[in-house]
Amino acid sequence: MTNKLPHPDHDRGLEFDLSTMMSRRSLGMFLGAGSAAAALAACTPGGSSSGAGPSASNAAATGSATASASASAAAAPSPTLTRAIAECGVEIPQETAGPFPGDGSNGPNVLEASGVVRQDITSSFGTGTAKAEGVPLTFTLTLLDNANGCVPLAGAAVYAWHCDREGRYSMYDSSLGNENFLRGVQEADANGQVTFTSIFPGAYTGRWPHIHFEVFESMSNATAAGQVLAVSQIALTQAACEEVYATTGYESSAKNFPRTTLKSDNVFRNDGGIYQLATMTGSAAAGYTAGLNVTI
């Protein structure tokens, strides 16, 4: 690749997008069973997982059936994308946004750009023309309101971003300064879910493969960096990474991946990523889906 690995440690604006989206409306995804005080949950167990997570997740998943029944009275999430792995009362760990957030807190702000509200984040928008290539990945986050018995956090907004298959971040890499692919914003639906269509990110030195995200209270305040409910990261499963990194285009990732484990990663090492490890299905040939429950 033309760039060195990332350092370890456009147009009318988002407000225009929001007003357009709202005017059109006027016309017309590992956390589960409840705590001792409130046994409400958010997800039904998903299908088979490509690469098992920590053993604790399997033990805790037995409580997800009760969680599903409680949540269904509100709005049942897609059972194939997310599953309960721990008590709903455990909130998603707060993590660093990293050196390449693109939210205005460290350099450029993609949240001000018209076109950032989108589901498919594989291509750049605005003045950017590049498209990220790689194994297809669709990931879903299910947002849960911990203060209200883990009901779906409908109406919240999620900004998600990650590196390309070579470990580069758009807007920051010297060769991608004019590109903004693999970044986008979505509003949570009635199930508290947001889904992004992307590519499987690469592995670079010092980090386990991951996806960054920020959760905002609403779409309207997604324009202001810092006004967030949660900043965290999704960890991808080892089995999926090993399969994907054996394919063409991920050669640098195949070299970097074995150098870092979940327990040595500077973000996930505190608990081995148990609350951030995605449930994943699929294959390198057909593409992967990933799901994570995010309790806030």
Side-chain angles (χ1 to χ4, degrees):
M1 63 184 179
T2 60
N3 165 56
K4 296 180 180 180
L5 292 172
H7 191 279
D9 276 86
H10 335 308
D11 83 68
R12 304 178 68 178
L14 178 57
E15 292 186 27
F16 172 77
D17 285 358
L18 294 177
S19 61
T20 301
M21 180 176 63
M22 293 306 293
S23 64
R24 288 174 179 171
R25 276 196 184 167
S26 63
L27 297 174
M29 239 162 318
F30 301 112
L31 307 172
S35 62
L40 289 177
C43 289
T44 34
S48 60
S49 173
S50 177
S55 59
S57 67
N58 294 330
T62 58
S64 63
T66 300
S68 307
S70 300
S72 63
S78 171
T80 61
L81 293 175
T82 59
R83 68 183 176 113
I85 67 160
E87 288 191 354
C88 181
V90 180
E91 297 185 359
I92 191 75
Q94 297 284 338
E95 308 290 4
T96 176
F100 316 112
D103 60 1
S105 63
N106 182 24
N109 191 351
V110 74
L111 299 178
E112 295 180 339
S114 177
V116 70
V117 180
R118 61 203 185 127
Q119 182 177 53
D120 189 334
I121 62 174
T122 54
S123 299
S124 289
F125 57 92
T127 60
T129 59
K131 179 177 181 178
E133 301 295 336
V135 171
L137 172 67
T138 298
F139 60 96
T140 294
L141 298 178
T142 300
L143 310 180
L144 309 173
D145 188 351
N146 191 41
N148 291 296
C150 288
V151 297
L153 198 58
V158 173
Y159 165 44
W161 72 98
H162 63 82
C163 69
D164 66 6
R165 67 182 178 183
E166 296 180 77
R168 306 174 301 175
Y169 285 86
S170 66
M171 304 176 71
Y172 290 88
D173 184 87
S174 59
S175 64
L176 300 174
N178 295 321
E179 304 297 340
N180 50 27
F181 56 62
L182 304 182
R183 300 179 184 274
V185 174
Q186 281 280 289
E187 181 178 24
D189 61 18
N191 296 317
Q193 291 187 311
V194 294
T195 297
F196 294 91
T197 300
S198 190
I199 57 100
F200 205 102
Y204 54 86
T205 300
R207 286 305 318 274
W208 182 268
H210 60 281
I211 298 170
H212 295 265
F213 65 91
E214 294 177 340
V215 182
F216 296 83
E217 184 177 9
S218 65
M219 290 289 284
S220 62
N221 69 19
T223 57
Q227 296 181 11
V228 295
L229 300 178
V231 181
S232 198
Q233 300 178 26
I234 308 169
L236 304 179
T237 63
Q238 180 174 349
C241 291
E242 289 175 341
E243 183 182 7
V244 171
Y245 297 161
T247 65
T248 301
Y250 286 92
E251 288 81 5
S252 63
S253 295
K255 295 178 181 179
N256 292 324
F257 181 62
R259 300 171 182 170
T260 306
T261 67
L262 275 168
K263 290 189 175 182
S264 68
D265 180 82
N266 60 15
V267 169
F268 302 126
R269 63 187 176 194
N270 289 340
D271 56 17
I274 186 173
Y275 301 119
Q276 294 153 280
L277 189 63
T279 296
M280 301 190 69
T281 61
S283 66
Y288 275 92
T289 62
L292 182 68
N293 287 354
V294 179
T295 301
I296 299 170

